[in-house]
Amino acid sequence: MTLQQAIGLAIQISMALVVFCVALGVRPAEIAPLLRSPGLLIRSVLAMYVVMPLVAIAMAIWFDIRHAVEIALVTMALSPIPPILPNKQIKAGGNPGRTLGILALTAAVSVIFIPAAVTLIGRMFGRDLSIPPGTIFEMVAIALLLPAIAGMVVRQLAPMIADRIARPLSIVANVMMVVAFLPVLVKVWPAMMALVGDFTVVAIVIFAAIGILVGHVLGGPDEGDRAVLALAASTGHPGIAIGIAHAANPDDQGIPAAVLLVLLVGAIASTPYVMWRKRSRGRSK
């Protein structure tokens, strides 16, 4: 195994562990209400997989931004919730069960939606693009679905063990993610900086702000649901976004740098919203 492969594997494991740790605090019964009253799920799919891809496409058409950034915005809009986001959503006031439920259920929807959306977008731009559903299923299952199911099973069968291991594992996962991402960030940093300028950062901030606004509005009357959907709609899973982009544009080497730039700038842009939600949550107690 090469060093690059080892780093990639460490990133995948750390992301899966983050989802697993969140799921350790959720019983399967806590997700059931989303299925019995699917309004939030429908609004989540609308915000994440309809409105935001259309926003990304509109920005690619109307704004004069670099091609790699255009692809990054569209693929991030098509991607499910990133594994690092649930903890941020919970800190902003989201209910852990509903947060994980939205993550898992929208990830399952993406298996069908992403291949269809990629084909449709390709036709819009006169290109023959396609991604097999099996490819998306493999990425989504490994990154999101299997860790979520495993964590809830442990919670259901051994709640005391789940309580005992959740925090230590979460620390390990986050440290592993930072350590694994640092070499990647150092490697792509020059390419990321080359993308800065020509309205790039402003476009990414606008995209994130629109995502937060759309998610907050469509989140419904519950403030926690609003926070969850606002953050979910403003970003996407970087690994899956890069996978989609690579499948559709295998020769474009600038995509990973553009996706990471969208991720980092979007995370910074969403920080004021998270702080506002935390302050509002504190005042309401």
Side-chain angles (χ1 to χ4, degrees):
M1 179 182 293
T2 65
L3 178 60
Q4 185 174 354
Q5 290 173 328
I7 291 172
L9 181 60
I11 291 173
Q12 290 181 355
I13 292 173
S14 63
M15 285 185 169
L17 269 178
V18 169
V19 177
F20 177 75
C21 291
V22 173
L24 285 174
V26 178
R27 297 180 184 274
E30 295 179 59
I31 296 180
L34 281 175
L35 299 175
R36 292 195 296 266
S37 180
L40 178 59
L41 176 60
I42 293 172
R43 294 194 303 273
S44 299
V45 171
L46 177 64
M48 294 171 59
Y49 295 143
V50 178
V51 177
M52 293 314 296
L54 289 176
V55 169
I57 292 171
M59 292 181 68
I61 294 172
W62 294 336
F63 293 168
D64 185 19
I65 53 180
R66 299 173 189 266
H67 179 68
V69 178
E70 293 176 350
I71 298 297
L73 288 175
V74 173
T75 54
M76 286 287 271
L78 292 174
S79 300
I81 300 172
I84 57 174
L85 198 58
N87 284 327
K88 195 172 182 180
Q89 291 169 319
I90 292 168
K91 289 178 181 178
N95 175 274
R98 292 170 79 84
T99 299
L100 187 69
I102 292 174
L103 181 150
L105 294 172
T106 54
V109 170
S110 73
V111 174
I112 300 173
F113 177 81
I114 291 175
V118 168
T119 301
L120 179 61
I121 291 170
R123 290 178 180 174
M124 290 174 59
F125 289 92
R127 300 185 61 184
D128 184 17
L129 302 180
S130 64
I131 297 178
T135 301
I136 301 300
F137 176 77
E138 182 179 351
M139 289 190 289
V140 169
I142 293 173
L144 300 172
L145 295 179
L146 291 179
I149 293 171
M152 287 189 292
V153 168
V154 174
R155 179 68 187 181
Q156 183 70 23
L157 298 180
M160 293 182 64
I161 293 178
D163 289 337
R164 192 176 303 124
I165 67 174
R167 181 169 175 75
L169 267 183
S170 180
I171 294 173
V172 169
N174 284 288
V175 170
M176 182 185 297
M177 188 180 298
V178 171
V179 171
F181 256 116
L182 278 177
V184 177
L185 190 60
V186 170
K187 182 178 179 180
V188 303
W189 186 261
M192 286 174 57
M193 292 300 98
L195 294 171
V196 173
D198 297 331
F199 198 66
T200 295
V201 173
V202 175
I204 297 171
V205 171
I206 291 173
F207 177 80
I210 292 174
I212 289 172
L213 177 62
V214 168
H216 187 83
V217 171
L218 291 178
D222 185 90
E223 293 298 327
D225 291 346
R226 285 186 166 190
V228 169
L229 189 51
L231 294 173
S234 66
T235 189
H237 192 298
I240 295 176
I242 291 172
I244 297 170
H246 179 73
N249 300 267
D251 298 327
D252 194 334
Q253 301 301 316
I255 296 297
V259 168
L260 290 180
L261 182 63
V262 171
L263 179 70
L264 290 176
V265 174
I268 294 170
S270 68
T271 299
Y273 177 80
V274 175
M275 295 174 63
W276 172 62
R277 292 306 314 150
K278 287 174 71 175
R279 284 198 299 269
S280 299
R281 185 183 176 194
R283 286 196 298 267
S284 65
K285 289 184 178 180

